[in-house]
């Protein structure tokens, strides 16, 4: 493991020297308060809490080693969007993921690897401090431990899906040993992820107070565990995953929003449909281009907005991730189209202008497009978009439960209710006024494509259902290789021969 795992810390835990500025701000809004030596920190609950926030903070990052915002990047890797930008040399990591020409040197892998292992390092650190502390209350200790384990599982879930063969580090280790780590068997990583989540579920709360929005709940961890089981693709375990999703889907504090478009509005955060959401804010008024990750804003809206846009409603962006015509065709006539895709040609017909960038299709991502009404008036506006990332929402878990029921021979009636709805129960299709369809796996997969478009699910759905080669083959996808990314060459170079490159790279 190379130094980028620890470069954000060294012997000084700068991220731990942070404090919540007020209860009115979101859980992850941080204010620098100087630096304390790690050995002198974590002496009380307040300091441990600040260290926990430092773990959550990594989830917000979008630019570690190149722009690596999860949702648009995965849309580009799938058949939902193209790379875009000024030309093929603009953000080559994105272009290479779009046409599957990644090498050990070129691709989005450096940022994705660095981000997740930084989160794991911080989780391991806070867990070790909690274990050695004698000043923490029983309930506080249990909850913070549970959150740190759930977050570690979250980061490992991303890593194993992206890289397949990764080192498994679950304790603080001496710096000299970072470069001696070998890749674990994938089965061991999956086992550890599940272990962390099962232990976390026991001590996580069912609901999260408004003042703590952004922290993971018991149902958030259950939903993540269900996804972890589902992604391993073992039909013998689908009933187990279905039970987890059912416990989430029948919880009284969740419901599908009547208006599909309201899910994505920045002024409707943490709605009844949101199970786990990553907060973003402009309260920090961030203006430092040199360390974009230091702010709390979401740079993805700026990234995918229409370049040079002049008109009403939207703010100008950078022109990345234009929507593919494949997705436009798939969503024709679907009531969710208007909330998912911006029709640029229609805007131009009404007097708006924008620049046609590389791979322009005149269609753009709408769910988190930069809107003038949410443009920050403080700091650097491009770095301060207050758009949350919804990691897991109810329609997603509805469709995953339906899939697991069908794959396990469970209740087709229940699967149909989740997919289509019925009298007295709102399903994914009935919520948007669509008629019922046959309760089949193909229709569940189709519904996931339309319901969750541009939210970062499509690529991994294609991988885990063995449809990637069929759907993405025309883009250059090679089966047996492009399911995962190459290990960053810089990691291999510094690993003293312990890390091996993924097959095909």
């Amino acid at each position: 493991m190379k130094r980028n795992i620890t470069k954000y810390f060294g012997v000084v835990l700068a991220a731990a020297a942070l404090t919540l500025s007020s209860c009115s701000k979101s859980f992850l809004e941080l204010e620098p308060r100087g630096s304390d030596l790690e050995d002198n920190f974590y002496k009380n609950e307040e300091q441990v809490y600040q260290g926990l926030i430092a773990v959550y903070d990594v989830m917000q990052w979008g630019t570690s080693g190149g722009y690596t915002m999860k949702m648009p990047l995965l849309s580009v890797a799938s058949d939902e969007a193209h790379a875009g930008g000024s030309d093929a040399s603009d953000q080559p990591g994105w272009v290479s993921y779009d046409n599957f020409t990644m090498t050990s040197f070129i691709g989005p892998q450096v940022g994705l690897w660095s981000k997740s292992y930084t989160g794991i390092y911080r989780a391991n650190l806070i867990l070790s401090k909690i274990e050695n502390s004698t000043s923490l209350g029983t309930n506080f200790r249990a909850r913070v431990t549970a959150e740190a384990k759930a977050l570690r599982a979250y980061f490992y879930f991303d890593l194993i899906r992206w890289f397949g063969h990764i080192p498994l580090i679950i304790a603080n280790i001496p710096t000299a040993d970072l470069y001696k780590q070998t890749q674990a068997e994938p089965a061991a990583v999956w086992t550890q992820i599940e272990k962390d989540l099962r232990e976390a579920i026991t001590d996580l709360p069912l609901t999260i107070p408004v003042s703590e929005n952004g922290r993971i709940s018991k149902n958030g961890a259950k939903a993540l565990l269900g996804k972890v089981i589902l992604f391993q693709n073992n039909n013998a375990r689908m009933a187990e995953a279905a039970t987890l999703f059912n416990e989430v889907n029948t919880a009284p504090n969740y419901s599908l929003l009547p208006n599909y478009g309201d899910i994505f509005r920045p002024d409707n955060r943490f709605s009844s449909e949101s199970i786990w959401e990553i907060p973003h804010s402009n309260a920090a008024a961030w203006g430092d281009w040199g360390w974009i990750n230091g702010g709390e804003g979401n740079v993805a809206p700026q990234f995918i907005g229409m370049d040079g846009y002049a008109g009403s409603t939207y703010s100008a962006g950078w022109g990345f991730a234009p929507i593919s015509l494949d997705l436009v065709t798939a969503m024709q006539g679907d009531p969710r189209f208007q909330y998912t895709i911006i029709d640029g040609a229609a805007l131009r017909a009404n007097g708006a202008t924008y620049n046609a960038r590389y791979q322009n299709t005149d269609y753009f991502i709408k769910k988190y497009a930069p809107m003038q009404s949410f443009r920050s008036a403080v700091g650097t506006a491009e770095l301060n978009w207050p758009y949350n990332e919804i990691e897991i929402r109810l329609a997603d878990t509805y469709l995953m439960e339906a899939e697991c029921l069908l794959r396990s021979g469970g209740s087709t009636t229940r699967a149909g209710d989740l997919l289509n709805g019925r009298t007295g129960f709102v399903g994914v299709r009935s919520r948007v006024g669509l008629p019922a369809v046959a309760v089949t796996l193909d229709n569940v997969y189709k519904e996931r494509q339309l319901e969750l478009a541009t939210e970062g699910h499509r690529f991994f759905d294609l991988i885990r259902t063995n449809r990637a080669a069929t759907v993405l083959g025309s883009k250059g996808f090679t089966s047996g290789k492009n399911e995962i990314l190459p290990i960053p060459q810089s990691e291999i170079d510094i690993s003293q021969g312990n890390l091996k490159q993924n097959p095909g790279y």
Side-chain angles (χ1 to χ4, degrees):
M1 207 61 48
K2 81 169 205 182
R3 291 184 182 85
N4 65 11
I5 295 176
T6 57
K7 70 180 181 180
Y8 306 106
F9 285 75
V11 296
V12 177
L13 185 64
L18 301 162
T19 185
L20 293 175
S21 53
S22 77
C23 292
S24 64
K25 295 185 178 181
S26 82
F27 170 63
L28 290 182
E29 291 173 19
L30 310 176
E31 289 185 356
R33 197 181 62 182
S35 298
D36 290 300
L37 289 175
E38 179 190 316
D39 288 344
N40 296 330
F41 211 70
Y42 306 109
K43 299 299 184 184
N44 53 50
E45 290 187 358
E46 179 188 1
Q47 292 175 342
V48 170
Y49 184 56
Q50 291 165 15
L52 176 67
I53 295 174
V55 187
Y56 275 102
D57 181 61
V58 180
M59 296 175 70
Q60 296 180 327
W61 291 8
T63 58
S64 50
Y67 289 95
T68 47
M69 296 84 69
K70 191 173 179 178
M71 286 194 292
L73 181 61
L74 287 171
S75 289
V76 167
S78 76
D79 57 342
E80 294 179 332
H82 305 293
S86 60
D87 53 43
S89 65
D90 194 350
Q91 295 302 320
W94 286 67
V95 174
S96 68
Y97 211 4
D98 184 23
N99 56 27
F100 298 103
T101 56
M102 297 87 68
T103 70
S104 59
F105 295 96
I106 299 174
Q109 57 267 17
V110 171
L112 299 174
W113 182 281
S114 173
K115 174 180 177 178
S116 289
Y117 272 114
T118 300
I120 289 164
Y121 175 87
R122 295 186 181 190
N124 287 340
L125 179 63
I126 197 69
L127 285 168
S128 71
K129 298 300 181 180
I130 293 170
E131 184 178 356
N132 294 326
S133 175
T134 59
S135 62
L136 306 179
T138 301
N139 292 338
F140 177 88
R141 178 191 295 272
R143 182 179 178 187
V144 173
T145 297
E147 288 176 276
K149 288 183 177 180
L151 291 170
R152 183 168 65 185
Y154 168 86
F155 290 121
Y156 269 123
F157 186 41
D158 275 353
L159 280 170
I160 197 166
R161 288 185 295 171
W162 260 312
F163 296 101
H165 306 92
I166 56 174
L168 179 60
I169 306 171
I170 57 172
N172 276 337
I173 56 178
T175 301
D177 291 343
L178 290 176
Y179 320 118
K180 301 176 183 178
Q181 301 303 305
T182 59
Q183 286 137 307
E185 289 296 322
V189 180
W190 287 116
T191 297
Q192 182 62 47
I193 293 171
E194 290 192 36
K195 179 177 183 293
D196 274 346
L197 288 172
R198 292 183 195 283
E199 291 175 358
I201 287 168
T202 301
D203 292 314
L204 288 171
L206 273 172
T207 59
I208 304 297
V210 172
S211 62
E212 296 177 2
N213 275 340
R215 300 179 78 173
I216 188 169
S217 68
K218 188 183 296 290
N219 283 320
K222 284 183 180 180
L224 183 57
L225 178 58
K227 286 188 69 171
V228 167
I229 296 171
L230 177 59
F231 198 89
Q232 292 174 73
N233 223 20
N234 179 355
N235 280 340
R237 300 190 66 193
M238 289 300 111
E240 178 185 358
T243 298
L244 286 163
F245 291 130
N246 182 265
E247 290 172 2
V248 175
N249 293 336
T250 57
N253 51 313
Y254 300 125
S255 62
L256 297 180
L257 295 180
N259 183 4
Y260 181 81
D262 287 345
I263 299 168
F264 314 103
R265 291 187 58 85
D267 56 0
N268 194 36
R269 301 163 178 240
F270 304 103
S271 71
S272 63
E273 190 159 339
S274 177
I275 296 170
W276 197 9
E277 192 165 329
I278 302 172
H280 288 278
S281 167
N282 61 18
W286 198 252
D288 184 358
W289 284 98
W291 179 234
I292 297 175
N293 289 334
E296 282 81 60
N298 186 353
V299 74
Q302 184 66 32
F303 206 74
I304 56 94
M306 292 169 281
D307 182 69
Y309 176 83
S312 61
T313 306
Y314 302 103
S315 182
W318 296 340
F320 288 88
I323 291 287
S324 72
L325 295 181
D326 287 342
L327 182 57
V328 171
T329 299
M331 297 202 72
Q332 287 294 337
D334 191 289
R336 291 164 291 200
F337 185 109
Q338 63 179 312
Y339 303 111
T340 303
I341 299 173
I342 296 171
D343 184 340
L347 294 178
R348 281 179 165 165
N350 288 313
T353 61
Y354 58 85
N355 300 322
R357 302 270 274 178
Y358 177 59
Q359 298 174 305
N360 176 60
T361 62
D362 285 327
Y363 293 98
F364 306 92
I365 294 174
K366 184 171 183 178
K367 286 180 178 177
Y368 47 100
M371 298 174 66
Q372 291 180 9
S373 56
F374 296 105
R375 184 177 175 86
S376 178
V378 295
T380 301
E382 292 83 355
L383 304 180
N384 285 284
W385 289 104
Y387 288 61
N388 286 3
E389 300 166 73
I390 303 177
E391 273 286 330
I392 307 175
R393 63 182 177 90
L394 194 62
D396 181 14
T397 55
Y398 270 20
L399 293 172
M400 287 191 288
E401 182 186 343
E403 176 182 346
C404 291
L405 288 169
L406 294 175
R407 292 178 63 177
S408 65
S411 171
T412 55
T413 298
R414 169 67 177 170
D417 290 346
L418 295 163
L419 174 62
N420 294 314
R422 58 170 166 77
T423 301
F425 184 88
V426 178
V428 173
R429 290 180 62 82
S430 64
R431 185 258 293 274
V432 293
L434 288 171
V437 294
V439 186
T440 65
L441 276 177
D442 283 345
N443 280 337
V444 170
Y445 295 153
K446 180 67 173 178
E447 204 62 33
R448 287 187 64 80
Q449 179 188 13
L450 304 177
E451 172 72 21
L452 303 170
T454 72
E455 295 178 48
H457 300 283
R458 174 71 170 169
F459 178 75
F460 287 137
D461 277 353
L462 292 173
I463 297 296
R464 67 177 180 78
T465 58
N466 299 313
R467 294 176 294 145
T470 300
V471 175
L472 304 177
S474 61
K475 294 182 63 177
F477 183 95
T478 300
S479 183
K481 173 183 177 181
N482 296 136
E483 289 86 352
I484 54 179
L485 290 165
I487 306 297
Q489 187 61 44
S490 52
E491 301 286 344
I492 292 175
D493 290 344
I494 204 168
S495 73
Q496 303 176 9
N498 289 302
L499 295 185
K500 308 300 180 184
Q501 188 53 271
N502 281 327
Y505 297 106

